Amino acid sequence: MEIVVTSADLLREPSDLAVLACLEHTPLPAELATLIEGADFSGKARQQRLLYPRGMVAPKRVLLLGLGTAEKLTADSLRQAAATATRQAQELQVDRLSVGLNGDLALAPTLIGQALAEGLALGAYRFQRYRSELSAEQKFAVAGATIVATANAEALQAGATIGQTIARGVTYARDLVNTPPNDLPPAALGEAAIAMGQRLGLTVTVLDKAQLIAGGFGGVLAVGQGSANEPRFIVMEYGTAREGTATICLVGKGLTFDSGGLSIKPADAMTTMKSDMSGAAAVFGTLQVVAELQLPLHVVGIVPAAENMPSSTAFRPDDVITTLSGKTVEVLNTDAEGRIVLADGLHYAQRYRPAAIIELSTLTGAIVIALGAHAIGMMGTSQELADRISRAGEASGERVWQLPLWDEYREMIKSEIADMKNIGGRPAGSITAAAFLANFVGDYPFVHLDIAGTAFAEKPTKPYDTPGATGVGVRLLSALLRSYAE
Ligand code: BES
Ligand code: ZN
Ligand code: ZN
C-alpha cells in the first residue's frame, strides 16, 4: 500500500473515505457535529461510526474512530485505529482512503506518522497465496492512503516512511511464518536468505548438512537428523564491523516444523507448529528493515534451521550430543529441541565479539501460560540490555516482560552424565530453558525473548493482526536497533 502525507483539511479534500481518528472529550469539527446525534459518538477507544454526509463536506464517506482519552493514548492506539481504517476501506471496496486526527495528541509527529503508517499497512495484510477460488471482492486490495494534517507534514512524512518500511519487514516475516512447512523446509529458508541477501546487498552464508558435519554443529544436526529435509545454518550480515559502530547479533529459532520428534506432540498441539520458525522470521524481517533504513550498524542474523521429526534416524531421549561449543547435552525430551539448535547459533554468535546477542524463539509452552498473547517473555544476563529492550517494547507496542535468571534456575538443568540436560521439569519451564541457553553465550551481553505466546494468533485481538502469523519481533527489534543507531 502506498502511503503519503499532505498538508490540507481532511473535510475539504474529495475522498471516497475520510477517516477521522478522534480523542475522547474533544468536540467534532462543526460540519460533522451537525451530521450526527452528539450522544452517538464520544471518541471512546475503538468506537466506530460511519457517516454519509451527502455533500455537506467534500468526502463521500466519513468514518469516525475513537482513540480514547488523551491520558491513555499511546502510539499503539493510533496503530490500531489506522488498521481499523484500512479494514473498513477494504470492506467498502474503497481504493484510496484519507486519514486525519481530531484532538491534541501528546506524541511526537514522527511517532504519529510511523504508528499510522504501520497500522494502515498492516491492517491490509492477508495471506492469500494458497487460495485459488477467491472472488473479485475477496481479492480487492486498498491501493493507497493519504495522511491529511494541517501541521507538521514533514515530520509526519518522515515517520510514515519509517513506518512503511517496518510494516514491510513485518509483512515479510508473516509471509515466511504463514508459508506451510511442506513449502518451507530448512533448505527453502536458506534460499530465502540468499534471495534477500541479493535484494538488499547482505552477505549471506548457508551451511548445508555436509558443512555442518565438518564444522561440528552437533546441536542442529541432532535435531534435524530425523527428517528427510536436511538442516541448514544461515548467517546474514548487514554492514561491517567498524570503529564506532556496534555489532549486534540476532539469533532466531528456525524450526520449520516441530512435531516434537520421538517425544511426539499430541495432534492438537502439533498444528500451528509451522510457526516454530517465527524467531527466524523476525530476524529476516528485521534485517530487511535495517538494510532499507541503512542504519549505521553491523548486524548479524543467525538462524539454525531444522525440521524436528520422529523416524528411525531421529535423535532420541537418552542421547548425549556434543554441541558446536564442545559442551554436551543429555536429551531427555526431543520436544525441547529449540534450545539445542540455539546452543549452536548462540555459540557461533560469539565469533563476532558482539555488543549484544539478542535471541528470539518460540521456545516454551510455559510462556504462553505465564503471559498469554500480550507480552514477550524476556530473560537475560545483562540488565542494561534488558532495560533497553523494555524501552523498545514500549515504543513499538511489542511489549516484553522480564523473568529472573538466577543461578538457582541453572542448577535445575544440571545432568549426571553430561554438562547439562535439555529439560528442567515443569516448574519455571521458560526460565530453565533460558538458563540452558545462557551456557552458550560466554560473557557477551545476552537477552532471550520467548515469543511462543505472541508469534501466532489464531484469534487475534488487535486490528493490525490477522489470524496466523503476527510478525512479532520485527517492530521491537527495529525500535531497538534504531536506538543503537541514534
Ligand atoms: N516449539 C515448542 C514451544 C511452543 C509451544 C511454541 C506452543 C509455540 C506454542 C517447543 O519446542 C516445545 O515443544 N517446548 C516444550 C518444552 C518441554 C518439552 C520442556 C514445551 O513447552 O512443552
Ligand atoms: Zn518442541
Ligand atoms: Zn519448538
Side-chain angles (χ1 to χ4, degrees):
M1 186 199 288
E2 181 233 339
I3 301 169
V4 293
V5 177
T6 60
S7 219
D9 180 342
L10 183 75
L11 300 177
R12 291 201 165 66
E13 299 293 306
S15 167
D16 288 331
L17 174 65
V19 179
L20 189 62
C22 305
L23 273 187
E24 198 170 346
H25 310 308
T26 304
L28 289 173
E31 311 93 294
L32 293 183
T34 61
L35 287 170
I36 186 168
E37 283 301 323
D40 290 2
F41 184 79
S42 63
K44 69 171 191 248
R46 284 173 291 278
Q47 199 177 33
Q48 298 185 37
R49 292 288 178 264
L50 182 60
L51 313 178
Y52 290 90
R54 300 273 173 251
M56 301 284 284
V57 293
K60 260 195 228 160
R61 306 176 185 84
V62 174
L63 174 66
L64 301 177
L65 291 182
L67 290 172
T69 60
E71 300 75 59
K72 277 200 157 180
L73 187 90
T74 63
D76 207 59
S77 322
L78 296 177
R79 194 177 289 112
Q80 292 189 44
T84 303
T86 305
R87 280 177 189 282
Q88 285 293 334
Q90 190 72 42
E91 199 174 310
L92 296 163
Q93 312 258 301
V94 165
D95 213 49
R96 265 205 96 80
L97 70 154
S98 50
V99 182
L101 296 166
N102 188 47
D104 278 326
L105 278 50
L107 290 169
T110 47
L111 254 178
I112 295 175
Q114 183 190 333
L116 288 176
E118 286 176 6
L120 286 164
L122 293 176
Y125 180 80
R126 288 169 304 185
F127 186 71
Q128 297 184 322
R129 202 184 301 160
Y130 293 84
R131 298 281 301 267
S132 63
E133 295 179 337
L134 290 171
S135 65
E137 202 177 325
Q138 287 170 316
K139 280 190 210 155
F140 176 84
V142 178
T146 307
I147 298 169
V148 183
T150 47
N152 299 320
E154 232 167 85
L156 285 166
Q157 181 65 68
T161 303
I162 291 166
Q164 276 182 92
T165 304
I166 292 173
R168 275 197 302 276
V170 175
T171 298
Y172 181 38
R174 287 181 181 179
D175 281 347
L176 285 170
V177 174
N178 284 330
T179 300
N182 53 332
D183 277 350
L184 198 73
L189 202 57
E191 282 155 25
I194 290 167
M196 177 172 77
Q198 280 167 351
R199 186 157 51 82
L200 299 169
L202 310 178
T203 309
V204 175
T205 310
V206 180
L207 305 181
D208 63 16
K209 186 178 172 186
Q211 291 167 305
L212 294 179
I213 293 169
F217 291 72
V220 189
L221 283 164
V223 171
Q225 74 189 38
S227 174
N229 297 315
E230 293 180 352
R232 293 288 186 273
F233 193 89
I234 303 166
V235 184
M236 302 166 279
E237 201 168 345
Y238 165 81
T240 43
R242 276 182 264 136
E243 200 76 40
T245 55
T247 294
I248 312 286
C249 285
L250 305 177
V251 183
K253 174 176 174 182
L255 264 288
T256 60
F257 187 69
D258 180 13
S259 69
L262 290 172
S263 311
I264 198 162
K265 288 179 183 293
D268 287 344
M270 206 186 292
T271 51
T272 75
M273 278 305 138
K274 67 175 180 181
S275 69
D276 214 19
M277 36 61 74
S278 296
V283 173
F284 276 69
T286 303
L287 275 166
Q288 176 176 302
V289 173
V290 169
E292 289 187 0
L293 294 179
Q294 300 194 311
L295 297 184
L297 293 172
H298 179 218
V299 184
V300 186
I302 298 168
V303 171
E307 183 175 52
N308 189 19
M309 294 293 256
S311 76
S312 72
T313 64
F315 78 138
R316 352 162 158 63
D318 283 354
D319 278 358
V320 173
I321 59 185
T322 303
T323 61
L324 181 64
S325 65
K327 293 186 182 181
T328 55
V329 176
E330 180 189 10
V331 178
L332 292 176
N333 187 316
T334 64
D335 198 11
E337 84 300 335
R339 61 198 78 180
I340 297 174
V341 301
L342 289 166
D344 288 355
L346 293 169
H347 180 78
Y348 191 90
Q350 292 188 48
R351 70 171 59 192
Y352 297 96
R353 304 183 177 286
I357 301 175
I358 300 138
E359 169 273 322
L360 300 94
S361 48
T362 44
L363 201 62
T364 65
I367 207 70
V368 188
I369 304 303
L371 299 174
H374 301 301
I376 295 166
M378 174 167 73
M379 287 136 272
T381 61
S382 158
Q383 197 52 43
E384 197 184 324
L385 178 59
D387 289 342
R388 198 176 182 119
I389 294 174
S390 289
R391 289 193 295 274
E394 296 301 326
S396 65
E398 291 188 332
R399 291 187 293 182
V400 304
W401 194 257
Q402 191 175 359
L403 299 172
L405 192 50
W406 297 317
D407 291 344
E408 285 83 347
Y409 296 109
R410 298 188 184 218
E411 294 296 319
M412 293 168 71
I413 50 164
K414 293 239 161 104
S415 160
E416 283 294 326
I417 68 154
D419 295 331
M420 67 199 89
K421 52 188 182 185
N422 82 327
I423 53 169
R426 280 176 45 94
S430 299
I431 305 179
T432 53
F436 179 99
L437 298 175
N439 284 298
F440 299 94
V441 293
D443 290 326
Y444 294 99
F446 163 63
V447 162
H448 156 62
L449 299 170
D450 194 334
I451 56 172
T454 45
F456 202 85
E458 287 179 89
K459 285 199 173 68
T461 59
K462 300 283 166 66
Y464 48 72
D465 286 332
T466 44
T470 62
V472 74
V474 176
R475 286 194 282 132
L476 173 69
L477 293 177
S478 297
L480 177 75
L481 293 173
R482 287 178 64 216
S483 84
Y484 278 105
E486 268 164 11

